[in-house]
Each structure stands twice: as C-alpha cells, then as structure tokens.
Amino acid sequence: MSWLTEHASEPLKYRAITEVAQTVSPSAPEIAALPYAHRPAIRLAVTQSRDGMWNNSVLSLPTKHGSDFANIGTIPAVRRLLEYGWAHDSPPLITARRLLFRLLAE
C-alpha cells in the first residue's frame, strides 16, 4: 500500500486509499481532491459539450491510446470519469446523466 501511495497516479491513490485499504474517509480534504487533480480526467471533462455529450456520440470507443479522447463516446467517457474517482454528483456527470435519462425516456 505504501508503494502505491508514493508512486501511483492520483486516481489509483484515491481508489487504493478509499476502496482497498478503507483507512481514510473519502470526504477527507487531503483525499477528496486527488481524482480532480489528474490531468487526463480534467481534459476529458472539459471536452464535454454543453448538452452533456462527448463527440456527438453515445457508444463510440476511444482509440488505442489511453489518454487520447478524440473519439470517445458519452457512455465510455462517463465510465472513465467514474473510474478516475469523480463523484456521481460532479457537474460533467450530472449533465451526462440528464442526457442519458432523456434518451432512455424516448
């Protein structure tokens, strides 16, 4: 665990501390900011359009490169942000959730 907390990326540190070790509460100030400091997660959240969709697509998959979000769809983007440790009530996820519920209602 100590090696992970020293050498891993922010989302891995956050998930290791909160989900695996469960030593600290996820709402602790020094832990809560870890997922939001990860550059790929920020870049992914910023590329969301105003209507809550990524790349005008729902199911398209990203390219092979893990940090390239050029063709990522809405569902894989939401899943990726959740894997990065973003809260369910963060603004990009709320906007995407509204869009997905509207699509479900149709």
Side-chain angles (χ1 to χ4, degrees):
M1 242 349 247
S2 62
W3 186 88
L4 269 176
T5 57
E6 292 174 18
H7 300 295
S9 64
E10 289 85 3
L12 286 176
K13 288 179 191 177
Y14 175 78
R15 292 189 71 185
I17 292 169
T18 59
E19 296 175 13
V20 177
Q22 297 179 350
T23 56
V24 180
S25 170
S27 61
E30 65 275 1
I31 302 299
L34 281 176
Y36 304 105
H38 191 56
R39 285 190 187 270
I42 295 168
R43 191 170 58 239
L44 179 61
V46 170
T47 60
Q48 183 184 32
S49 64
R50 295 186 84 184
D51 65 351
M53 195 171 256
W54 275 271
N55 297 315
N56 292 325
S57 174
V58 175
L59 291 173
S60 65
L61 296 174
T63 59
K64 315 186 257 197
H65 305 294
S67 62
D68 182 23
F69 304 120
N71 297 319
I72 195 165
T74 301
I75 292 175
V78 167
R79 182 175 172 227
R80 180 102 29 119
L81 284 176
L82 289 171
E83 287 173 351
Y84 284 147
W86 283 46
H88 295 280
D89 58 350
S90 61
L93 295 177
I94 288 175
T95 309
R97 189 172 37 208
R98 273 191 225 132
L99 170 78
L100 293 173
F101 278 124
R102 276 187 272 141
L103 288 173
L104 183 64
E106 290 180 10

